[in-house]
Amino acid sequence: MSPPLYNLHNHTPFSDGAYSIDELCEAHLSCTAVKFAGLGISDHLFCTPSSREIRNERDFQRTFAAETRDYVESVHAARRRWEGKFHVFCGCEINWPLNRNHLELIRGLLNGIDYVLFAYVDWAGLTQLANQARRWPCPIGLARTDVARQFPHTSLDQVVRTMANARIFYEVSVALLPLGEHERWFSILPNHRVALSLGTDTHDDLSCLEQVPELVRYLERHRLADRYFQPRLRSAESGDALAPQKTHAV
Ligand SMILES: [Zn+2]
């Protein structure tokens, strides 16, 4: 049986996306090219669009704690609206260079967030993340990363081992198409336990969904179809993972 497919990289007007969560759910459900079991919202958090500068920790907390709570609330409300019809996960995307000095604060603000996608991580960043991966309250992954380009002085083998040991997942993004250009990376992945997520980085163009089958077929050909990252729902209150949804009695 094939695993459930989720597109875990979508933006909404909460950050810089054009479509509401409901519109994204409808678009995924009506997509004939691939059968999605759900989606993840991954809006940019912890980056202020205002010209205001964040001066200190208290300022950071004050600026982003309320914003993050509002975000989680709106995604969880959508999750409830779609319950039984479509899974809605609550992720977020974090810009590494902008936030690398605030990681401890950020970890305390992730109640109700199911996973974090990091963008623009360099090698020093990946090793830093790997060292603290287990301290994060939810799984963390690398968004739309061209490994050979982003870590030019590190062997692919070292990258993959670092990610596998720290259980950092890797996003297979439509931004990397054609994946054949990254053949070396995808050829070593089957030998290491790195989970893979699918991502379109949807902003204002839903046609990106039609490119997902190409990703899926490529992963199947590379014996990676059993590697899909399966997020778990985390409640906003305790930050704990929720119990799995009940299935039919047998
Ligand atoms: Zn994005």
Side-chain angles (χ1 to χ4, degrees):
M1 210 177 95
S2 48
L5 295 180
Y6 306 112
N7 171 18
L8 295 181
H9 197 153
N10 297 283
H11 296 274
T12 75
F14 192 91
S15 61
D16 55 356
Y19 296 97
S20 68
I21 303 177
D22 290 345
E23 287 170 327
L24 286 167
C25 287
E26 274 154 25
H28 280 73
L29 270 173
S30 62
C31 183
T32 50
V34 57
K35 191 174 168 9
F36 290 107
L39 57 68
I41 303 300
S42 60
D43 271 309
H44 303 281
L45 292 185
F46 314 112
C47 51
T48 169
S50 73
S51 52
R52 210 168 69 73
E53 207 191 321
I54 299 292
R55 290 178 303 273
N56 52 42
E57 291 194 355
R58 255 183 77 189
D59 203 12
F60 189 93
Q61 194 93 10
R62 204 170 18 212
T63 308
F64 295 119
E67 181 194 87
T68 308
R69 265 199 311 274
D70 288 350
Y71 170 70
V72 169
E73 249 167 54
S74 68
V75 180
H76 285 205
R79 171 182 297 167
R80 290 190 291 275
R81 284 199 297 282
W82 286 88
E83 202 173 345
K85 290 174 281 187
F86 205 52
H87 291 288
V88 176
F89 294 100
C90 182
C92 70
E93 182 170 13
I94 296 181
N95 179 307
W96 173 261
L98 210 60
N99 285 293
R100 47 196 278 252
N101 298 324
H102 304 297
L103 300 179
E104 209 158 310
L105 283 172
I106 287 173
R107 282 202 297 268
L109 297 176
L110 295 178
N111 275 353
I113 301 266
D114 302 322
Y115 62 92
V116 173
L117 290 171
F118 277 101
Y120 311 115
V121 179
D122 57 9
W123 176 244
L126 182 58
T127 50
Q128 192 181 338
L129 274 177
N131 285 334
Q132 52 171 259
R134 281 158 220 258
R135 298 216 301 272
W136 284 75
C138 62
I140 58 177
L142 296 187
R144 47 183 307 168
T145 301
D146 176 346
V147 171
R149 223 163 143 176
Q150 217 149 311
F151 313 119
H153 306 297
T154 312
S155 72
L156 297 182
D157 200 56
Q158 203 174 345
V159 175
V160 79
R161 282 174 197 281
T162 303
M163 292 183 72
N165 286 339
R167 297 198 195 132
I168 294 172
F169 68 89
Y170 177 78
E171 177 187 74
V172 182
S173 169
V174 297
L176 299 174
L177 285 171
L179 295 186
E181 288 181 4
H182 312 276
E183 185 76 23
R184 275 180 56 229
W185 171 242
F186 284 101
S187 307
I188 63 167
L189 279 174
N191 304 322
H192 300 271
R193 304 293 318 165
V194 175
L196 305 175
S197 66
L198 295 173
T200 54
D201 201 4
T202 317
H203 283 89
D204 58 1
D205 182 5
L206 293 170
S207 68
C208 56
L209 297 182
E210 282 152 35
Q211 295 179 296
V212 173
E214 200 176 333
L215 303 180
V216 172
R217 280 196 299 269
Y218 185 90
L219 294 180
E220 280 167 4
R221 278 204 306 276
H222 284 70
R223 297 181 291 119
L224 290 165
D226 60 343
R227 293 300 177 81
Y228 287 113
F229 166 58
Q230 302 292 325
R232 295 176 64 202
L233 302 180
R234 293 174 67 247
S235 77
E237 294 75 31
S238 63
D240 294 335
L242 295 175
Q245 286 179 349
K246 281 202 179 95
T247 48
H248 296 290
V250 283

